[in-house]
Amino acid sequence: MAPAESSSDESTPEDYVCSLTLQRMKEQTMLTASGNTYEASALRDALARRPGVDPLTNAAFEGPPVLASGRADTLKEVN
């Protein structure tokens, strides 16, 4: 039986930990309105619950969310 995936530990760089799930990101996705990066599924869920609001800062943004795959140094637009 495989061990359950645990939350991030001290060996995981902070840039790779989602601020919503507190776990290492498997699919990093940036909300370009704020530049914050999240686990893709967590970001989609948060935006479905509160459209037009960054889930980390609670700052409102105009228009549909523009998402980019990866971190700032490896951006690829996914919308």
Side-chain angles (χ1 to χ4, degrees):
M1 178 179 229
E5 186 175 329
S6 62
S7 61
S8 68
D9 58 31
E10 292 178 17
S11 66
T12 302
E14 194 172 306
D15 287 351
Y16 294 96
V17 175
C18 175
S19 58
L20 301 177
T21 65
L22 302 180
Q23 295 189 353
R24 185 181 184 120
M25 292 182 275
K26 294 178 184 175
E27 185 182 351
Q28 297 176 348
T29 302
M30 177 186 285
L31 179 59
T32 60
S34 65
N36 293 319
T37 304
Y38 305 96
E39 174 62 38
S41 60
L43 178 56
R44 284 191 297 270
D45 291 347
L47 291 173
R49 285 190 303 274
R50 296 183 65 204
V53 178
D54 183 291
L56 179 62
T57 64
N58 290 315
F61 57 88
E62 296 293 323
V66 177
L67 309 179
S69 178
R71 293 179 37 219
D73 55 353
T74 59
L75 286 181
K76 181 174 121 184
E77 194 168 312
V78 294
N79 288 27

